[in-house]
Amino acid sequence: MYGNELDEAAKIVAAKRDENLKFEHARLTADEKDDLLKKFHPDRIASQFSELKIGPNKGQKAPIELTQMLQAKPRFEPEQIDLNHVDYETDVLVIGGGGAGTSAAIMASEAGAKVLLVTKLRVGDANTMMAEGGIQAADKPNDSPAQHYLDAFGGGHFDGKPELVYTLVNKAPSVIKWLNDLGVEFDKSEDGTMVTTHGGGTSRKRMHACKDYSGAEIMRTLRDEVLNRTDSVTVVDFTAAIEIIKNDKGEACGAVLLNIETGELRIAKAKVVIIATGGAGRMHYQGFPTSNHYGATADGLVMAYRAGAKLLYQDSLQYHPTGAAYPSQILGKLVTEKVRSLGAKLINKDGTVYIHPLETRDVNASGIIREVKEGRGVDNPVQPAVWLDTPMIEMIHGEGTILKSIPAMYNMFIKYGIDIRKEPILVYPTLHYQNGGVEIDKTCHTNVSNLLVAGEASGGVHGTNRLMGNSLLDVVVFGREAGIEAGKMFKNISLADTSKMNLDHVKAFEKERADAGINDDVVSPKILPRYTHGNPEFEKAIPGASK
């Protein structure tokens, strides 16, 4: 399985499995949670954050890596761009091809808008595709949106914007129906009733899933719906938006685009712009591994910030407690919370259950970090970790449960000779979700006119911690809301209103940099991460990857 030393460590877990299976660890009190978070959560390490010197959030804190991107040089000089040469004209420009972007494109299309969807990889290459455990909705008789609200608002430390949380939970049941009608294959019982389970921090079983391929199934359906709308939705892939364009009124009216295959710059002109660029895991804050897809580099935050949009909770990230910590080939890959909702418990090197498996994600992540830092973690050559005792699942629910309910998890580990039906797995927190982002209202408006933001690039929906299943819900609910809103807006805007396109805000930003004494050569958006340590061939092949 693992090798001599880890095999011996795993035997300690196996020896205490029957005892641990019967043991139910008490939930932590509010004070105990606060103390654990204060001491061990990465967001509480002051040295890992720096003060923003410029922009709408000047004086506030952000992760060091994000601060650098938000205050970096633009990728071009404004004078180099010919805004009179327009390559694309559209009613609604959607930047991003994940769950939020595709949902927005569908709804704007439904309203009669001509939609241009640009994505720097391919439609569906997004964190949505990689979500596993499920999507929340209070649509069972023993549940209600009000109960869902209490769970989500409290789980976010009461920091969420109430109107956003209200929209999230009240739109949830209709979103599940919409997805089901589009063809998403949700898990159902023989009579057609949707199967629901618990997640961390939920007081009811409201997690709807497609085994543990939930995000992939939802993304497949949304992607196909977009690609089938060739009469109203144009998709341009391998093309990154690198700057928002404004008109003389200060309204968003398009974007500068970069074809990452050829390096060509193109101009898109639009009545309404929707940013749906997703998260930031590939920034690898504090050196953490990530569960995110290759393009998750906070581009939307950078573009919106430079255009004058305010951020909210930009200093809050979610570290999913159970990222794979062994073997090295899957370091940081997500081990869905569904594994714990099915009964697997977190175990330290002594074979001890040290925490309830369904505490909220920030609490469980902090608990794992504590066990490792205080010497109760499992040493392994990849990443010090704790055990997640997956064989408990079939002891509780019977043989065959793992292949039926979490086949992706089985397949991910069996490739490396680890049978999760018989052997525990090693886990450690992985950078998973951008809790904060561009501040929006309930219809996705920012403080910049005609600029909407939806999905993980937005801030305020989840407060400073997100519950399992509310991310897939967020991207679809607010992706739809952005599309619906854009579908109303474009009818009252003339393309003539966008005729005086300019990049004056970029010039102003560069002056602000200079006045603040920021004179480094870092450029943003990042576009793609770099893992080659100076390989010039790679940098040549992927324009912009060297920064």
Side-chain angles (χ1 to χ4, degrees), residues 187-496:
D187 296 340
K188 297 174 183 175
S189 59
E190 290 184 2
D191 65 0
T193 302
M194 290 195 189
V195 175
T196 52
T197 59
H198 270 302
T202 62
S203 60
R204 301 289 188 276
K205 293 182 178 181
R206 68 172 70 95
M207 203 69 57
H208 301 65
C210 313
K211 295 184 168 50
D212 55 349
Y213 293 101
S214 301
E217 172 61 10
I218 289 171
M219 192 69 254
R220 174 197 67 80
T221 305
L222 295 173
R223 179 196 63 207
D224 288 353
E225 184 68 21
V226 163
L227 295 178
N228 285 334
R229 291 174 176 261
T230 54
D231 58 331
S232 57
V233 180
T234 299
V235 174
V236 180
D237 55 14
F238 296 108
T239 298
I242 57 175
E243 212 70 70
I244 299 300
I245 300 171
K246 290 183 171 183
N247 62 20
D248 58 343
K249 300 176 184 176
E251 300 165 332
C253 64
V256 180
L257 311 177
L258 170 68
N259 183 308
I260 67 170
E261 296 180 297
T262 67
E264 295 175 278
L265 293 177
R266 295 172 180 169
I267 304 300
K269 182 178 183 180
K271 299 176 181 179
V272 184
V273 179
I274 300 174
I275 289 177
T277 50
R282 292 289 168 168
M283 299 287 286
H284 292 291
Y285 299 123
Q286 300 186 38
F288 271 79
T290 185
S291 63
N292 284 191
H293 81 105
Y294 188 49
T297 51
D299 296 358
L301 272 63
V302 171
M303 287 186 288
Y305 194 70
R306 200 133 61 211
K310 295 178 181 178
L311 305 182
L312 181 65
Y313 301 136
Q314 69 279 354
D315 57 345
S316 177
L317 287 303
Q318 180 168 88
Y319 297 81
H320 195 291
T322 53
Y326 185 95
S328 59
Q329 294 93 326
I330 56 172
L331 176 65
K333 290 277 285 183
L334 184 64
V335 176
T336 173
E337 194 164 308
K338 191 172 182 179
V339 175
R340 285 175 284 132
S341 72
L342 287 169
K345 295 181 181 181
L346 293 161
I347 313 285
N348 65 23
K349 74 172 186 179
D350 302 320
T352 302
V353 177
Y354 63 88
I355 201 167
H356 193 285
L358 292 180
E359 294 285 6
T360 55
R361 287 179 172 178
D362 54 351
V363 170
N364 258 325
S366 299
I368 293 172
I369 293 170
R370 178 192 65 193
E371 294 302 293
V372 169
K373 285 189 173 182
E374 294 186 350
R376 295 183 295 277
V378 180
D379 290 331
N380 84 76
V382 178
Q383 165 70 62
V386 300
W387 294 108
L388 184 58
D389 199 7
T390 48
M392 285 184 169
I393 293 171
E394 298 204 338
M395 293 175 70
I396 296 169
H397 302 286
E399 187 176 340
T401 300
I402 285 175
L403 290 180
K404 178 181 177 183
S405 299
I406 48 171
M409 292 298 94
Y410 173 82
N411 291 330
M412 183 165 78
F413 283 94
I414 200 65
K415 292 177 186 177
Y416 306 101
I418 300 169
D419 187 341
I420 68 172
R421 299 171 299 181
K422 303 172 183 176
E423 301 150 347
I425 57 179
L426 288 162
V427 295
Y428 190 79
T430 183
L431 188 53
H432 184 56
Y433 196 82
Q434 180 177 273
N435 288 328
V438 184
E439 185 170 5
I440 61 170
D441 65 17
K442 64 182 180 181
T443 51
C444 301
H445 284 277
T446 68
N447 60 291
V448 176
S449 296
N450 299 346
L451 179 64
L452 311 181
V453 178
E456 194 174 348
S458 70
V461 180
H462 307 288
T464 50
N465 181 61
R466 178 181 64 77
L467 299 187
M468 172 194 180
N470 279 348
S471 61
L472 283 175
L473 182 60
D474 170 15
V475 300
V476 181
V477 165
F478 288 99
R480 278 171 50 88
E481 291 303 300
I484 291 168
E485 185 68 6
K488 297 174 183 176
M489 293 169 62
F490 88 93
K491 297 171 184 176
N492 299 314
I493 302 172
S494 168
L495 273 178

